[in-house]
Amino acid sequence: MTATAPPAEQAAPTMTHRQVLEAMSGLMAGMFVAILASTVVANALPRIVSDLNGSPSSYTWVVTSELLAMTVTVPLWGKLSDLYDKKLLIQLSLSMFVVGSLVAGFSHGVGLLILSRVVQGIGAGGLTALAQVVMAAIIPPRELGRYSGIFGAVFAVGTVAGPLIGGVLVDTSWLGWRWCFFIGVPFALLAIFLLQRTLRLPVQRREIKVDYAGALLIVAGVSALLLWISFAGNEFDWGSWQTAALVSLAVLLLAAAVLVESKVDEPVVPLSLFRNRTVTLSVVASALVGVAMFGGTVFLSQYFQISLGNTPTVAGLMSLPMILGLMVSSTVVGQIISKTGQWKRYLVIGGVLMTVGLALLATIGADTPFWQLAVFMAVMGAGVGMLMQNLVLAAQNDVAAADLGAATSVVSFFRSLGGAIGTSALGAVLANRVASETEKGLGTSADGGGSSHAIPDMSTLPDAVREVIENAYGVATAETFLVGAPVAFLALVAVLFIKEKPLKTQSGLERLAEEAQPQPQAGPVH
């Protein structure tokens, strides 16, 4: 049962280009904060866990806790945005991020650090979902391309520059790893201030029924699934009793969630969305993009540092071609879509480029020249830039205004879920291949630091051993891209089946007001 829309007179007037840009300044600052929280600690974690006397399992939890909290709360924030004041919700999520960041920065134990990462993740989940929901509310789909390219650029900078910033902070003696958490606080506070000054949305007044049972079941089911994906192959075997228990629990909880969602008036994830072909295919493609993008690129930093022998700072700089590819493609294509109204061809081109880029990266090794790496990364980045935001645009354009929040967050949720699955599965591929290559090269059983939790200190190894480890990481990293390429091809196949529809010229608020108008009834026939 679709929620009742607010009366037409409460709809906000159409915003000018300048007003939209002013409002976007706060949204962009918030989005940058959310992405930075996930990426800035990538190169700092070994130092953080060591300073706090943590174990390898602690290392895993520092990463997993934030990812879990962010992923499972995205659909909840999206649904809340259909029920409550969007501006208040996004400011609340920013405030939660600030609290989590400050606690993380001042942590003197791993337990408190993990708890703070959960709070950070909840806030980041809100920012991830709500930024795009607010954009859809104030900007017509036909015009979204002009602005979504900017968001794509912010996503690219946060994703790839985060590890660079973290590496610089760790390598700078008078700063240190605690600033990896403090650095996002000023951006979050700035975002809260800018949103208060520039974002003007009507307050929706309507009867609200929150689906607490469905929310709890979804969170518990997805958490069980992510815990299995995160720890299988590391803490226990893929074919162990722990796997059977966690998978069975996840299936039962999610089946119960589907049952609840099919009966309540205000479901967290409206099942009717999946009767929409565009939304379903966008969800499938986004999940596959998440697997290929996050799963394939998260290990590049290890490759740059171990196989190529660079510092964390240099490793971050080497990722710049991917940033530029993503920024340029998302920005330019966004402008073209706004001018022409044609969008499917760019999804197809993006799918092709991402597949080709991953296939090219599958050929790298310990002796690959940087210019080749740069070209391969730029190709893949360009493909991701064309796909990521425009899959959300396709879904937003094809649903009722009252379901904009839920549709947006579902697409983002499955992209994050795909990223978690890809990171864990391809991490297992990397670890196993490093171990086998190291054993082959040294003639003895060794893991060579193949686990993502135990990166070897290359400076302490003899030359002969170091060459073996460098080669092992080169071969293993290439194999992760080789596995990622077919996944990207499946995303391309899903995109091919999406039917192109004209982009709407009204904002979400205008559509909501129009949908709320009583439909004229036919008069009596004389």
Side-chain angles (χ1 to χ4, degrees):
M1 177 175 159
T2 305
T4 305
E9 63 269 20
Q10 288 184 334
T14 303
M15 297 176 69
T16 66
H17 179 60
R18 177 177 177 178
Q19 289 172 325
V20 170
L21 287 177
E22 288 175 348
M24 278 188 63
S25 63
L27 293 176
M28 285 189 293
M31 180 66 82
F32 182 70
V33 159
I35 300 161
L36 199 65
S38 301
T39 60
V40 74
V41 298
N43 289 328
L45 274 175
R47 182 78 57 84
I48 295 172
V49 175
S50 175
D51 285 356
L52 297 179
N53 299 315
S55 63
S57 62
S58 301
Y59 185 111
T60 305
W61 271 107
V62 172
V63 178
T64 307
S65 58
E66 197 265 348
L67 179 64
L68 273 171
M70 181 177 73
T71 302
V72 301
T73 56
V74 163
L76 307 184
W77 284 106
K79 183 58 186 179
L80 288 173
S81 73
D82 288 331
L83 301 175
Y84 295 100
D85 183 1
K86 297 175 180 62
K87 178 176 176 178
L88 180 62
L89 286 171
I90 199 167
Q91 289 177 315
L92 175 62
S93 63
L94 282 162
S95 301
M96 293 187 71
F97 178 85
V98 169
V99 172
S101 298
L102 291 174
V103 174
F106 288 114
S107 295
H108 289 282
V110 173
L112 184 59
L113 176 62
I114 291 171
L115 178 62
S116 68
R117 293 285 285 170
V118 171
V119 177
Q120 268 192 317
I122 295 172
L127 294 167
T128 301
L130 295 167
Q132 296 182 86
V133 171
V134 171
M135 277 185 67
I138 63 177
I139 306 170
R142 179 64 187 264
E143 297 297 317
L144 264 176
R146 299 174 62 188
Y147 307 98
S148 62
I150 302 174
F151 266 91
V154 171
F155 186 93
V157 172
T159 299
V160 188
L164 168 61
I165 295 170
V168 170
L169 292 172
V170 171
D171 288 342
T172 305
S173 59
W174 52 276
L175 290 173
W177 62 261
R178 295 184 184 277
W179 278 94
C180 290
F181 302 107
F182 293 148
I183 194 170
V185 173
F187 290 100
L189 295 175
L190 175 64
I192 293 173
F193 172 76
L194 289 173
L195 289 168
Q196 184 62 35
R197 292 288 302 272
T198 61
L199 185 61
R200 295 173 180 85
L201 296 173
V203 178
Q204 299 181 11
R205 302 186 185 279
R206 65 193 230 195
E207 184 182 355
I208 293 171
K209 297 178 181 177
V210 180
D211 175 22
Y212 295 107
L216 180 61
L217 288 168
I218 290 172
V219 169
V222 174
S223 295
L225 183 63
L226 287 179
L227 286 171
W228 167 59
I229 292 166
S230 300
F231 293 134
N234 293 317
E235 301 298 319
F236 49 80
D237 294 333
W238 287 94
S240 64
W241 69 265
Q242 291 97 327
T243 287
L246 283 172
V247 171
S248 299
L249 179 63
V251 169
L252 288 172
L253 289 169
L254 292 175
V258 170
L259 181 63
V260 170
E261 296 296 273
S262 66
K263 296 182 179 300
V264 297
D265 291 335
E266 292 280 3
V268 175
V269 179
L271 299 182
S272 59
L273 287 176
F274 294 97
R275 290 197 287 270
N276 183 306
R277 173 177 165 180
T278 301
V279 172
T280 301
L281 289 171
S282 295
V283 163
V284 171
S286 289
L288 294 169
V289 168
V291 172
M293 179 181 67
F294 289 104
T297 59
V298 75
F299 305 109
L300 274 175
S301 180
Q302 281 189 21
Y303 168 74
F304 292 147
Q305 293 181 56
I306 297 174
S307 194
L308 303 186
N310 295 298
T311 65
T313 302
V314 173
L317 289 171
M318 291 179 74
S319 300
L320 285 175
M322 195 181 303
I323 290 185
L324 294 175
L326 202 155
M327 285 177 62
V328 171
S329 70
S330 63
T331 304
V332 172
V333 168
Q335 295 286 341
I336 294 173
I337 289 175
S338 287
K339 288 180 180 179
T340 66
Q342 305 295 315
W343 51 268
K344 181 176 176 178
R345 65 188 65 174
Y346 301 106
L347 288 179
V348 174
I349 294 171
V352 171
L353 288 178
M354 187 172 74
T355 304
V356 171
L358 286 166
L360 291 172
L361 285 166
T363 66
I364 65 176
D367 57 352
T368 303
F370 178 68
W371 71 266
Q372 284 187 14
L373 281 171
V375 172
F376 298 167
M377 288 189 293
V379 171
M380 197 199 75
V384 171
M386 292 184 191
L387 279 168
M388 201 164 52
Q389 289 296 115
N390 292 324
L391 284 170
V392 176
L393 172 64
Q396 290 175 336
N397 185 60
D398 206 27
V399 298
D403 289 328
L404 269 176
T408 302
S409 60
V410 164
V411 175
S412 300
F413 164 72
F414 276 94
R415 185 174 64 228
S416 297
L417 186 60
I421 293 171
T423 301
S424 179
L426 294 182
V429 170
L430 179 88
N432 291 332
R433 189 60 188 270
V434 166
S436 63
E437 289 293 319
T438 303
E439 183 177 347
K440 186 193 305 180
L442 298 178
T444 57
S445 179
D447 70 2
S451 166
S452 61
H453 308 158
I455 299 174
D457 184 351
M458 302 298 285
S459 63
T460 64
L461 299 177
D463 289 346
V465 177
R466 186 171 67 248
E467 288 180 9
V468 170
I469 300 296
E470 287 173 352
N471 178 70
Y473 268 87
V475 171
T477 305
E479 185 164 326
T480 64
F481 290 115
L482 186 62
V483 175
V487 176
F489 179 74
L490 291 176
L492 170 61
V493 172
V495 163
L496 287 172
F497 284 98
I498 296 178
K499 183 179 179 181
E500 183 164 24
K501 297 183 179 181
L503 294 176
K504 293 181 172 66
T505 57
Q506 293 175 302
S507 70
L509 292 174
E510 292 168 336
R511 288 160 58 193
L512 198 62
E514 185 178 277
E515 290 168 11
Q517 294 285 351
Q519 297 299 315
Q521 297 181 357
V525 178
H526 298 288

